[in-house]
Amino acid sequence: MNEQAADLPSIAWGIIGCGDVMERKAGAALASLPGSRIVTVMRRDAAKAQAFAKRHLVPNWTTDASAVIASPHVNAIYIATPPAHHLEYALQVCAAGKACVVEKPAGRSEQETHAMVDAFRRAAVPLYVSYYRRDLAKFERVKQIIDSGELGAIVAINYRFAKPRSAQTWRIAPSRSGGGHFYDLAGHALDLFDDWFGPLELLGSGVTNRIPSHETEDAVALTFRTPDGAIGSASWNFAAAAHMDELCIEGLGGQLHLAVMASAGSVRLELTPAAAVRTSRTRSQRALRQIKSRFGVATHRRFRFTKPAQAHRDFLARVVGELARGEVASPSAALRTSVLLNRVLDHYYGGRCGAFWERPARWQSLRQQAVRRGAGTRDYALDGAQLATFEAQGYLGPFQCDGEWQRLRIPLKKGTNLHLSDPAVFELCTHPSIAHRAAQMLGPPGAALFKSRFVVKAAGGGTPVAWHQDVGETNGGYYAGGAPVPSVTCWLALDRTTLANGAVRVVPGSHKALYGDYRARLRAKLLEHGVIAAADVARAVTFELEPGQFYLFHSWLLHGSDVNRTRQRRAGLNMRYTRIGDEYEAGCIYLPLAMGS
């Protein structure tokens, strides 16, 4: 790091991790607050570190966090990396005797947060966790209203937050983040509650995962009690159909309504007339008469707040002021919030002690439930004769699906890989009646689900499917040596399926070779180019099925189907499995099920 000599202001910052938080919320504030200056920044990506330094007129940048911490020109460190690095860097900062601000959540677990807080307490070095909302004007006004007694004794606190599913990020990788979206975001609300009402006592909680593409918590509900005896409930849903952010604080004299995750917007106070009169002694006699005349109707006040240009500015202004005065901050409230978050999630993760992120088998995710549901099952064991038939012919069936296939909603469009987003589809694709049999065909160590697709042919039409094999780049991928990866397909009938309405047809034994330009799949034109003969098609077997029945077949088996010539729809669900360890298709999400091993 090429440090430049400079006269230090009272607080000279070094930033470790100059990503989104620094760009949108904190960087400009640190650079512009009186008595505050950014001296150097660190990011592992050198080009991005340099670009950030240039944009924010920071004289120095580096890719080495230890260089920032050791710099003699820095007397305070802001850690804005993912939580996986918080404890490591914070302990180094503490050992250097420098003040520290760490992004929330402070640690991936209660243990990590405790270790961090305890180290700074022993060293008498200031430590802050960036729960910045309590310093915003909107939430300071809420605290003033509660403390004023206008609401009377607080009876209940009810909070609901909902957000539609978001893209996959590191925030739902517990090894980096400590949990899912709840662990990342819920601390903001709980920290505010701690500020307004005092330490919360957890009474109960429930946690669930409903999006199969990841294993972290999607929906959480909890109940709590405040030191004064008010009862609270709160829920977070990160798989919602629509956004919601509603807090209602109920007192004997009225209610307070606001959104917690929005720094702007309004705070609505509704007081009963009697309470309004008691708390309006400074009002004019005319105003009091108006309130009294509205007996039986609540009186309303609305406080409006604009969005701050720099979300962290008020928080950081307090931090800079306290550091300049030599105060030693201890994040007791942040530690209480960490303890609460971790205890809410404890059962879901099978305990959050130590490196719990390395023990996903203990979690209550949909994936792990599927693995446990199928582990050791013998209910759908295939005998030697069946496996020999599969080896020779390339298919087996029909079988009866014992999963709840009737619950499926058949989409008209975009029916691909819904097992990653729809719990009902996922639970069916992982049901042992299907997955355990597929795993036995694939052999140890078991099956990994990697594709699903609804296939629908409308009455009197649909598209004919040419003879082809499912093999290659987007159909299982290739081994490192270039050979294509085999897989097993399940074709589950959701309607009665016959030759007349376009049932799947297969050529027995054809899975043992690859035909023609197999990479072209449906465009290979195997019949037209004479690669396969009419005699091959003549011996094809038709998968005629009743609803809820299925066939399993080797994906290299030649198969195709005709148009639907009937007045009835033909719908099915196609599922693909490969052997665990054969995850070679780029961009595919593989869900190991470890069945049949």
Side-chain angles (χ1 to χ4, degrees):
M1 179 169 62
N2 182 23
E3 287 280 11
Q4 299 174 4
D7 294 328
L8 289 180
S10 56
I11 308 301
W13 292 95
I15 297 173
I16 299 176
C18 49
D20 182 63
V21 168
M22 280 297 137
E23 198 67 63
R24 295 190 303 110
K25 298 180 179 180
L30 287 173
S32 63
L33 283 168
S36 173
R37 179 188 173 201
I38 304 175
V39 174
T40 187
V41 297
M42 171 269 175
R43 189 166 182 174
R44 293 183 178 184
D45 186 312
K48 291 181 178 179
Q50 185 177 25
F52 181 93
K54 183 177 180 179
R55 280 194 303 276
H56 295 273
L57 304 178
V58 178
N60 307 292
W61 62 269
T62 180
T63 59
D64 183 3
S66 62
V68 175
I69 296 168
S71 171
H73 304 290
V74 168
N75 55 22
I77 305 289
Y78 197 125
I79 301 172
T81 66
H85 305 289
H86 287 182
L87 179 60
E88 171 195 356
Y89 292 148
L91 293 181
Q92 292 179 34
V93 173
C94 182
K98 298 182 179 182
C100 184
V101 175
V102 63
E103 265 303 307
K104 58 79 200 160
R108 289 173 293 181
S109 65
E110 180 182 333
Q111 286 179 316
E112 288 192 348
T113 306
H114 258 298
M116 192 184 307
V117 171
D118 291 346
F120 278 83
R121 280 177 177 167
R122 288 193 302 269
V125 175
L127 173 65
Y128 296 86
V129 178
S130 68
Y131 285 121
Y132 64 92
R133 275 175 165 76
R134 62 169 64 193
D135 290 289
L136 293 173
K138 174 180 174 179
F139 303 112
E140 284 188 330
R141 176 55 63 92
V142 172
K143 183 173 176 61
Q144 291 168 3
I145 293 170
I146 293 169
D147 291 347
S148 74
E150 284 189 279
L151 288 172
I154 302 301
V155 178
I157 303 108
N158 297 292
Y159 179 56
R160 293 182 65 192
F161 179 81
K163 183 180 179 182
R165 176 188 178 188
S166 57
Q168 303 276 81
T169 71
W170 63 264
R171 298 178 191 278
I172 54 173
S175 62
R176 300 188 68 194
S177 63
H181 291 303
F182 169 81
Y183 193 69
D184 178 48
L185 293 178
H188 282 303
L190 297 175
D191 178 71
L192 287 173
F193 297 167
D194 185 284
D195 185 39
W196 299 337
F197 310 116
L200 307 180
E201 176 192 357
L202 180 66
L203 299 180
S205 62
V207 184
T208 189
N209 163 239
R210 301 302 292 160
I211 299 177
S213 60
H214 59 255
E215 295 194 73
T216 54
E217 68 278 3
D218 292 322
V220 177
L222 60 91
T223 56
F224 59 87
R225 180 164 41 223
T226 71
D228 291 334
I231 296 297
S233 67
S235 66
W236 290 261
N237 178 5
F238 295 97
H243 182 269
M244 177 182 292
D245 185 0
E246 298 177 353
L247 171 63
C248 176
I249 301 170
E250 300 182 64
L252 291 175
Q255 296 181 339
L256 200 58
H257 299 267
L258 66 146
V260 168
M261 296 304 293
S263 56
S266 64
V267 174
R268 191 173 81 254
L269 175 64
E270 300 177 356
L271 295 175
T272 60
V277 170
R278 286 197 302 272
T279 59
S280 302
R281 294 176 182 173
T282 59
R283 297 187 180 194
S284 67
Q285 290 299 313
R286 180 180 179 184
L288 290 174
R289 285 195 298 272
Q290 288 176 340
I291 292 171
K292 291 177 181 178
S293 70
R294 295 174 62 193
F295 184 81
V297 180
T299 55
H300 300 261
R301 273 185 280 161
R302 190 182 293 270
F303 308 90
R304 300 183 186 278
F305 300 87
T306 58
K307 184 177 181 179
Q310 303 162 23
H312 283 43
R313 186 178 181 84
D314 293 334
F315 162 69
L316 291 172
R318 173 169 62 86
V319 170
V320 168
E322 292 178 1
L323 294 179
R325 293 190 297 271
E327 299 178 16
V328 178
S330 178
S332 298
L335 179 57
R336 291 194 296 269
T337 296
S338 174
V339 170
L340 187 58
L341 287 171
N342 279 277
R343 293 184 182 175
V344 167
L345 295 174
D346 189 70
H347 175 71
Y348 177 84
Y349 286 103
R352 288 177 61 87
C353 294
F356 71 89
W357 47 86
E358 296 177 355
R359 304 186 295 268
R362 297 185 183 181
W363 303 356
Q364 299 301 312
S365 65
L366 284 173
R367 292 193 202 178
Q368 296 305 323
Q369 290 180 46
V371 170
R372 288 191 285 271
R373 186 168 63 238
T377 181
R378 295 292 178 266
D379 294 341
Y380 305 103
L382 299 175
D383 59 33
Q386 289 174 305
L387 290 173
T389 298
F390 175 75
E391 181 68 24
Q393 301 295 327
Y395 70 94
L396 278 178
F399 299 106
Q400 180 64 43
C401 174
D402 291 338
E404 297 183 4
W405 57 270
Q406 300 92 337
R407 293 175 52 202
L408 296 180
R409 293 181 300 170
I410 301 172
L412 296 177
K413 296 180 180 180
K414 297 181 180 180
T416 301
N417 291 335
L418 293 185
H419 67 278
L420 295 174
S421 58
D422 187 328
V425 177
F426 174 82
E427 289 174 7
L428 188 64
C429 291
T430 60
H431 194 276
S433 62
I434 298 172
H436 185 219
R437 288 175 169 129
Q440 293 170 80
M441 295 173 177
L442 290 163
L449 170 67
F450 73 107
K451 287 181 186 293
S452 69
R453 184 168 64 93
F454 282 90
V455 282
V456 180
K457 290 190 177 183
T463 303
V465 178
W467 290 100
H468 69 286
Q469 297 171 294
D470 289 330
V471 56
E473 185 176 353
T474 59
N475 270 285
Y478 297 94
Y479 291 111
V485 177
S487 60
V488 167
T489 298
C490 170
W491 207 98
L492 170 67
L494 302 175
D495 296 324
R496 190 166 185 270
T497 304
T498 65
L499 179 62
N501 69 10
V504 172
R505 305 180 72 208
V506 302
V507 177
S510 58
H511 62 297
K512 296 180 180 181
L514 296 175
Y515 293 82
D517 184 9
Y518 61 86
R519 292 177 178 85
R521 294 184 297 278
L522 295 175
R523 295 185 298 276
K525 297 183 178 180
L526 300 179
L527 271 174
E528 293 88 330
H529 293 164
V531 176
I532 60 174
D536 295 315
V537 175
R539 63 188 184 88
V541 173
T542 302
F543 286 171
E544 294 197 311
L545 297 164
E546 295 298 319
Q549 291 184 327
F550 65 92
Y551 273 90
L552 289 163
F553 64 95
H554 196 295
S555 300
W556 297 2
L557 199 66
L558 284 168
H559 58 286
S561 63
D562 204 346
V563 297
N564 183 352
R565 300 189 301 276
T566 73
R567 296 182 179 180
Q568 302 298 320
R569 181 193 68 180
R570 188 225 70 173
L573 177 61
N574 180 299
M575 299 161 252
R576 297 280 299 280
Y577 306 85
T578 192
R579 186 173 54 191
I580 294 173
D582 282 355
E583 295 95 351
Y584 284 94
E585 184 173 323
C588 223
I589 296 177
Y590 290 85
L591 308 182
L593 302 175
M595 297 180 177
S597 57

mmCIF file of all heavy atoms in Angstrom, residues 147-176:
data_model
loop_
_atom_site.group_PDB
_atom_site.id
_atom_site.type_symbol
_atom_site.label_atom_id
_atom_site.label_comp_id
_atom_site.label_asym_id
_atom_site.label_seq_id
_atom_site.Cartn_x
_atom_site.Cartn_y
_atom_site.Cartn_z
ATOM 1 N N ASP A 147 -41.920 7.486 24.417
ATOM 2 C CA ASP A 147 -41.418 7.977 25.710
ATOM 3 C C ASP A 147 -42.284 9.079 26.295
ATOM 4 O O ASP A 147 -42.309 9.268 27.524
ATOM 5 C CB ASP A 147 -39.980 8.480 25.554
ATOM 6 C CG ASP A 147 -38.985 7.361 25.283
ATOM 7 O OD1 ASP A 147 -39.361 6.179 25.469
ATOM 8 O OD2 ASP A 147 -37.841 7.667 24.891
ATOM 9 N N SER A 148 -43.003 9.798 25.420
ATOM 10 C CA SER A 148 -43.842 10.900 25.911
ATOM 11 C C SER A 148 -45.046 10.418 26.691
ATOM 12 O O SER A 148 -45.655 11.190 27.444
ATOM 13 C CB SER A 148 -44.311 11.749 24.728
ATOM 14 O OG SER A 148 -45.324 11.070 23.984
ATOM 15 N N GLY A 149 -45.431 9.178 26.500
ATOM 16 C CA GLY A 149 -46.615 8.647 27.179
ATOM 17 C C GLY A 149 -47.909 8.906 26.456
ATOM 18 O O GLY A 149 -48.987 8.549 26.963
ATOM 19 N N GLU A 150 -47.862 9.533 25.265
ATOM 20 C CA GLU A 150 -49.099 9.818 24.530
ATOM 21 C C GLU A 150 -49.916 8.567 24.247
ATOM 22 O O GLU A 150 -51.149 8.593 24.272
ATOM 23 C CB GLU A 150 -48.768 10.514 23.209
ATOM 24 C CG GLU A 150 -48.405 11.966 23.319
ATOM 25 C CD GLU A 150 -48.298 12.616 21.959
ATOM 26 O OE1 GLU A 150 -47.255 12.467 21.317
ATOM 27 O OE2 GLU A 150 -49.287 13.260 21.535
ATOM 28 N N LEU A 151 -49.226 7.463 23.967
ATOM 29 C CA LEU A 151 -49.939 6.224 23.657
ATOM 30 C C LEU A 151 -50.463 5.536 24.909
ATOM 31 O O LEU A 151 -51.217 4.561 24.813
ATOM 32 C CB LEU A 151 -49.014 5.263 22.906
ATOM 33 C CG LEU A 151 -48.667 5.622 21.461
ATOM 34 C CD1 LEU A 151 -47.605 4.675 20.927
ATOM 35 C CD2 LEU A 151 -49.900 5.563 20.579
ATOM 36 N N GLY A 152 -50.048 6.012 26.061
ATOM 37 C CA GLY A 152 -50.371 5.304 27.294
ATOM 38 C C GLY A 152 -49.506 4.062 27.414
ATOM 39 O O GLY A 152 -48.514 3.886 26.689
ATOM 40 N N ALA A 153 -49.865 3.174 28.301
ATOM 41 C CA ALA A 153 -49.112 1.935 28.469
ATOM 42 C C ALA A 153 -49.180 1.111 27.183
ATOM 43 O O ALA A 153 -50.254 0.920 26.605
ATOM 44 C CB ALA A 153 -49.670 1.132 29.632
ATOM 45 N N ILE A 154 -48.021 0.649 26.717
ATOM 46 C CA ILE A 154 -47.984 -0.156 25.500
ATOM 47 C C ILE A 154 -48.532 -1.546 25.813
ATOM 48 O O ILE A 154 -48.115 -2.205 26.764
ATOM 49 C CB ILE A 154 -46.548 -0.255 24.953
ATOM 50 C CG1 ILE A 154 -45.981 1.135 24.683
ATOM 51 C CG2 ILE A 154 -46.527 -1.095 23.683
ATOM 52 C CD1 ILE A 154 -46.772 1.955 23.690
ATOM 53 N N VAL A 155 -49.468 -1.978 24.988
ATOM 54 C CA VAL A 155 -50.131 -3.270 25.191
ATOM 55 C C VAL A 155 -49.605 -4.324 24.214
ATOM 56 O O VAL A 155 -49.330 -5.464 24.602
ATOM 57 C CB VAL A 155 -51.657 -3.129 25.023
ATOM 58 C CG1 VAL A 155 -52.340 -4.489 25.197
ATOM 59 C CG2 VAL A 155 -52.207 -2.111 26.009
ATOM 60 N N ALA A 156 -49.454 -3.940 22.935
ATOM 61 C CA ALA A 156 -49.090 -4.923 21.922
ATOM 62 C C ALA A 156 -48.288 -4.267 20.812
ATOM 63 O O ALA A 156 -48.485 -3.083 20.503
ATOM 64 C CB ALA A 156 -50.336 -5.590 21.334
ATOM 65 N N ILE A 157 -47.379 -5.051 20.236
ATOM 66 C CA ILE A 157 -46.586 -4.635 19.081
ATOM 67 C C ILE A 157 -46.766 -5.711 18.015
ATOM 68 O O ILE A 157 -46.495 -6.885 18.268
ATOM 69 C CB ILE A 157 -45.090 -4.501 19.433
ATOM 70 C CG1 ILE A 157 -44.896 -3.510 20.585
ATOM 71 C CG2 ILE A 157 -44.276 -4.096 18.227
ATOM 72 C CD1 ILE A 157 -44.505 -4.172 21.879
ATOM 73 N N ASN A 158 -47.239 -5.317 16.846
ATOM 74 C CA ASN A 158 -47.471 -6.277 15.765
ATOM 75 C C ASN A 158 -46.782 -5.808 14.501
ATOM 76 O O ASN A 158 -47.036 -4.701 14.012
ATOM 77 C CB ASN A 158 -48.975 -6.435 15.493
ATOM 78 C CG ASN A 158 -49.713 -6.998 16.699
ATOM 79 O OD1 ASN A 158 -49.520 -8.148 17.050
ATOM 80 N ND2 ASN A 158 -50.533 -6.174 17.328
ATOM 81 N N TYR A 159 -45.908 -6.669 13.964
ATOM 82 C CA TYR A 159 -45.126 -6.291 12.791
ATOM 83 C C TYR A 159 -45.218 -7.380 11.741
ATOM 84 O O TYR A 159 -45.098 -8.575 12.043
ATOM 85 C CB TYR A 159 -43.661 -6.072 13.173
ATOM 86 C CG TYR A 159 -42.786 -5.689 11.999
ATOM 87 C CD1 TYR A 159 -43.094 -4.584 11.206
ATOM 88 C CD2 TYR A 159 -41.653 -6.439 11.663
ATOM 89 C CE1 TYR A 159 -42.296 -4.229 10.128
ATOM 90 C CE2 TYR A 159 -40.843 -6.084 10.583
ATOM 91 C CZ TYR A 159 -41.180 -4.973 9.814
ATOM 92 O OH TYR A 159 -40.396 -4.631 8.744
ATOM 93 N N ARG A 160 -45.411 -6.966 10.477
ATOM 94 C CA ARG A 160 -45.430 -7.897 9.348
ATOM 95 C C ARG A 160 -44.580 -7.328 8.226
ATOM 96 O O ARG A 160 -44.765 -6.182 7.803
ATOM 97 C CB ARG A 160 -46.856 -8.119 8.843
ATOM 98 C CG ARG A 160 -47.770 -8.857 9.808
ATOM 99 C CD ARG A 160 -49.131 -9.075 9.193
ATOM 100 N NE ARG A 160 -49.062 -9.960 8.025
ATOM 101 C CZ ARG A 160 -50.080 -10.121 7.173
ATOM 102 N NH1 ARG A 160 -51.201 -9.453 7.342
ATOM 103 N NH2 ARG A 160 -49.959 -10.945 6.151
ATOM 104 N N PHE A 161 -43.646 -8.156 7.766
ATOM 105 C CA PHE A 161 -42.802 -7.773 6.632
ATOM 106 C C PHE A 161 -42.873 -8.882 5.596
ATOM 107 O O PHE A 161 -42.750 -10.064 5.931
ATOM 108 C CB PHE A 161 -41.354 -7.567 7.070
ATOM 109 C CG PHE A 161 -40.441 -7.190 5.933
ATOM 110 C CD1 PHE A 161 -40.381 -5.870 5.490
ATOM 111 C CD2 PHE A 161 -39.663 -8.143 5.291
ATOM 112 C CE1 PHE A 161 -39.553 -5.519 4.425
ATOM 113 C CE2 PHE A 161 -38.835 -7.802 4.230
ATOM 114 C CZ PHE A 161 -38.782 -6.482 3.805
ATOM 115 N N ALA A 162 -43.065 -8.510 4.354
ATOM 116 C CA ALA A 162 -43.115 -9.484 3.260
ATOM 117 C C ALA A 162 -42.417 -8.896 2.049
ATOM 118 O O ALA A 162 -42.499 -7.686 1.784
ATOM 119 C CB ALA A 162 -44.559 -9.848 2.915
ATOM 120 N N LYS A 163 -41.739 -9.758 1.326
ATOM 121 C CA LYS A 163 -40.970 -9.336 0.157
ATOM 122 C C LYS A 163 -40.945 -10.473 -0.848
ATOM 123 O O LYS A 163 -40.699 -11.621 -0.478
ATOM 124 C CB LYS A 163 -39.541 -8.981 0.590
ATOM 125 C CG LYS A 163 -38.651 -8.460 -0.508
ATOM 126 C CD LYS A 163 -37.268 -8.139 0.056
ATOM 127 C CE LYS A 163 -36.333 -7.626 -1.026
ATOM 128 N NZ LYS A 163 -34.980 -7.351 -0.494
ATOM 129 N N PRO A 164 -41.198 -10.186 -2.126
ATOM 130 C CA PRO A 164 -41.113 -11.253 -3.135
ATOM 131 C C PRO A 164 -39.704 -11.832 -3.206
ATOM 132 O O PRO A 164 -38.722 -11.183 -2.841
ATOM 133 C CB PRO A 164 -41.493 -10.543 -4.440
ATOM 134 C CG PRO A 164 -42.320 -9.377 -3.999
ATOM 135 C CD PRO A 164 -41.713 -8.937 -2.696
ATOM 136 N N ARG A 165 -39.646 -13.041 -3.690
ATOM 137 C CA ARG A 165 -38.373 -13.744 -3.819
ATOM 138 C C ARG A 165 -37.364 -12.921 -4.608
ATOM 139 O O ARG A 165 -37.687 -12.328 -5.630
ATOM 140 C CB ARG A 165 -38.624 -15.076 -4.524
ATOM 141 C CG ARG A 165 -37.381 -15.887 -4.823
ATOM 142 C CD ARG A 165 -37.740 -17.072 -5.684
ATOM 143 N NE ARG A 165 -36.562 -17.859 -6.034
ATOM 144 C CZ ARG A 165 -36.558 -18.845 -6.892
ATOM 145 N NH1 ARG A 165 -37.688 -19.187 -7.492
ATOM 146 N NH2 ARG A 165 -35.453 -19.515 -7.153
ATOM 147 N N SER A 166 -36.135 -12.880 -4.124
ATOM 148 C CA SER A 166 -35.081 -12.142 -4.807
ATOM 149 C C SER A 166 -34.052 -13.106 -5.387
ATOM 150 O O SER A 166 -34.088 -14.307 -5.128
ATOM 151 C CB SER A 166 -34.399 -11.165 -3.840
ATOM 152 O OG SER A 166 -33.888 -11.857 -2.717
ATOM 153 N N ALA A 167 -33.126 -12.568 -6.149
ATOM 154 C CA ALA A 167 -32.122 -13.394 -6.814
ATOM 155 C C ALA A 167 -31.176 -14.032 -5.797
ATOM 156 O O ALA A 167 -31.009 -13.547 -4.681
ATOM 157 C CB ALA A 167 -31.336 -12.539 -7.796
ATOM 158 N N GLN A 168 -30.549 -15.130 -6.206
ATOM 159 C CA GLN A 168 -29.579 -15.813 -5.360
ATOM 160 C C GLN A 168 -28.359 -14.914 -5.151
ATOM 161 O O GLN A 168 -27.805 -14.379 -6.102
ATOM 162 C CB GLN A 168 -29.115 -17.107 -6.028
ATOM 163 C CG GLN A 168 -30.238 -18.075 -6.359
ATOM 164 C CD GLN A 168 -30.613 -18.953 -5.183
ATOM 165 O OE1 GLN A 168 -31.338 -18.544 -4.302
ATOM 166 N NE2 GLN A 168 -30.092 -20.157 -5.157
ATOM 167 N N THR A 169 -27.966 -14.719 -3.904
ATOM 168 C CA THR A 169 -26.770 -13.946 -3.597
ATOM 169 C C THR A 169 -26.038 -14.609 -2.436
ATOM 170 O O THR A 169 -26.517 -15.591 -1.853
ATOM 171 C CB THR A 169 -27.116 -12.506 -3.173
ATOM 172 O OG1 THR A 169 -27.738 -12.521 -1.867
ATOM 173 C CG2 THR A 169 -28.069 -11.849 -4.171
ATOM 174 N N TRP A 170 -24.882 -14.052 -2.079
ATOM 175 C CA TRP A 170 -24.129 -14.558 -0.933
ATOM 176 C C TRP A 170 -24.922 -14.416 0.359
ATOM 177 O O TRP A 170 -24.620 -15.078 1.349
ATOM 178 C CB TRP A 170 -22.784 -13.840 -0.815
ATOM 179 C CG TRP A 170 -22.871 -12.360 -0.558
ATOM 180 C CD1 TRP A 170 -22.806 -11.369 -1.482
ATOM 181 C CD2 TRP A 170 -23.037 -11.705 0.704
ATOM 182 N NE1 TRP A 170 -22.930 -10.134 -0.889
ATOM 183 C CE2 TRP A 170 -23.063 -10.315 0.466
ATOM 184 C CE3 TRP A 170 -23.160 -12.152 2.014
ATOM 185 C CZ2 TRP A 170 -23.213 -9.377 1.477
ATOM 186 C CZ3 TRP A 170 -23.309 -11.216 3.037
ATOM 187 C CH2 TRP A 170 -23.335 -9.855 2.765
ATOM 188 N N ARG A 171 -25.948 -13.572 0.367
ATOM 189 C CA ARG A 171 -26.716 -13.343 1.597
ATOM 190 C C ARG A 171 -27.531 -14.561 2.017
ATOM 191 O O ARG A 171 -28.044 -14.595 3.138
ATOM 192 C CB ARG A 171 -27.639 -12.126 1.428
ATOM 193 C CG ARG A 171 -26.874 -10.841 1.171
ATOM 194 C CD ARG A 171 -27.802 -9.653 0.966
ATOM 195 N NE ARG A 171 -27.083 -8.499 0.468
ATOM 196 C CZ ARG A 171 -26.392 -7.648 1.220
ATOM 197 N NH1 ARG A 171 -26.355 -7.826 2.519
ATOM 198 N NH2 ARG A 171 -25.759 -6.631 0.678
ATOM 199 N N ILE A 172 -27.679 -15.546 1.133
ATOM 200 C CA ILE A 172 -28.366 -16.777 1.523
ATOM 201 C C ILE A 172 -27.398 -17.959 1.475
ATOM 202 O O ILE A 172 -27.818 -19.103 1.286
ATOM 203 C CB ILE A 172 -29.622 -17.031 0.667
ATOM 204 C CG1 ILE A 172 -29.298 -17.013 -0.826
ATOM 205 C CG2 ILE A 172 -30.704 -16.014 0.993
ATOM 206 C CD1 ILE A 172 -30.464 -17.412 -1.699
ATOM 207 N N ALA A 173 -26.119 -17.669 1.668
ATOM 208 C CA ALA A 173 -25.090 -18.702 1.806
ATOM 209 C C ALA A 173 -24.576 -18.630 3.242
ATOM 210 O O ALA A 173 -23.745 -17.772 3.548
ATOM 211 C CB ALA A 173 -23.960 -18.490 0.820
ATOM 212 N N PRO A 174 -25.080 -19.466 4.154
ATOM 213 C CA PRO A 174 -24.749 -19.318 5.577
ATOM 214 C C PRO A 174 -23.260 -19.310 5.889
ATOM 215 O O PRO A 174 -22.844 -18.685 6.866
ATOM 216 C CB PRO A 174 -25.449 -20.519 6.217
ATOM 217 C CG PRO A 174 -26.619 -20.778 5.343
ATOM 218 C CD PRO A 174 -26.108 -20.509 3.951
ATOM 219 N N SER A 175 -22.443 -19.975 5.082
ATOM 220 C CA SER A 175 -21.007 -19.942 5.346
ATOM 221 C C SER A 175 -20.449 -18.534 5.196
ATOM 222 O O SER A 175 -19.430 -18.188 5.801
ATOM 223 C CB SER A 175 -20.267 -20.888 4.408
ATOM 224 O OG SER A 175 -20.429 -20.490 3.051
ATOM 225 N N ARG A 176 -21.112 -17.699 4.405
ATOM 226 C CA ARG A 176 -20.667 -16.312 4.216
ATOM 227 C C ARG A 176 -21.497 -15.322 5.011
ATOM 228 O O ARG A 176 -20.990 -14.328 5.515
ATOM 229 C CB ARG A 176 -20.730 -15.934 2.733
ATOM 230 C CG ARG A 176 -19.852 -16.787 1.829
ATOM 231 C CD ARG A 176 -19.830 -16.229 0.419
ATOM 232 N NE ARG A 176 -19.129 -14.947 0.382
ATOM 233 C CZ ARG A 176 -19.182 -14.105 -0.654
ATOM 234 N NH1 ARG A 176 -19.922 -14.426 -1.720
ATOM 235 N NH2 ARG A 176 -18.526 -12.970 -0.638
#
